[in-house]
Amino acid sequence: MLTLITLLIAAATLYRFILWFNSYTRTHVRYEFFTMNHSLAMVFSYALIFFGYNWIQNGNDGLNGAIVMGIGIFILLWVMINNFIKAPRLYAIAGSLMQLIFYIPIAIGAVIIVFVVLAWASETKPVYVINND
C-alpha cells in the first residue's frame, strides 16, 4: 500500500512540475515542451524502441527489429529537432532532457494502461474441453 501511495505522490509531483515548466516556457519563449502531440510521439517512439530491441534479442528477425528501433529513434530525434527549431538553445536542451527523462515513466504507464484496456475489451472467456480423447 505504501508503494502505491508513493507512486501516486510521485505521479502528482511530476504532473505539477510539467504544468509549471510548460507555463514557464510558454511565458518566456512561447513554446511548450509537454503537449499531447509530443506525448504521443515520445510514448510511441519509446514503445517502438523497446519492442524492436526485444525483437532483436529474441533472435526472431534482427532486421525487422532494427527497422522498428530505427523508426522509434527517428521519431525521438524528430521531437528533439523540433524543440531546437522552435525554442532557444538553452531552453531546448533543458526541455529535451526533461522530455527524455519524464516520458519514460509516462510511456511505461501508458503501455500498461493500453494492455489493461485491451484485456478488458477482449472479454476473454474460459474454454472448456468436452472431449478428452
Side-chain angles (χ1 to χ4, degrees), residues 27-129:
T27 304
H28 288 82
V29 294
R30 294 183 185 92
Y31 183 69
E32 292 182 355
F33 288 91
F34 295 94
T35 63
M36 186 57 70
N37 290 337
H38 284 155
S39 298
L40 291 174
M42 295 290 279
V43 167
F44 191 63
S45 70
Y46 279 145
L48 287 175
I49 292 169
F50 175 76
F51 290 118
Y53 179 75
N54 280 343
W55 202 346
I56 291 171
Q57 291 300 314
N58 289 337
N60 294 337
D61 190 5
L63 181 61
N64 284 338
I67 290 171
V68 170
M69 278 184 65
I71 292 169
I73 292 170
F74 176 77
I75 293 170
L76 192 75
L77 289 175
W78 175 78
V79 172
M80 299 300 128
I81 291 169
N82 188 40
N83 291 340
F84 278 93
I85 290 172
K86 296 186 178 181
R89 182 174 292 154
L90 184 61
Y91 286 99
I93 291 170
S96 296
L97 285 175
M98 282 189 240
Q99 282 179 329
L100 287 172
I101 294 168
F102 292 161
Y103 277 126
I104 291 172
I106 293 170
I108 292 169
V111 169
I112 291 171
I113 289 170
V114 165
F115 283 144
V116 167
V117 168
L118 288 175
W120 176 77
S122 70
E123 297 180 9
T124 305
K125 298 186 177 32
V127 176
Y128 300 101
V129 176

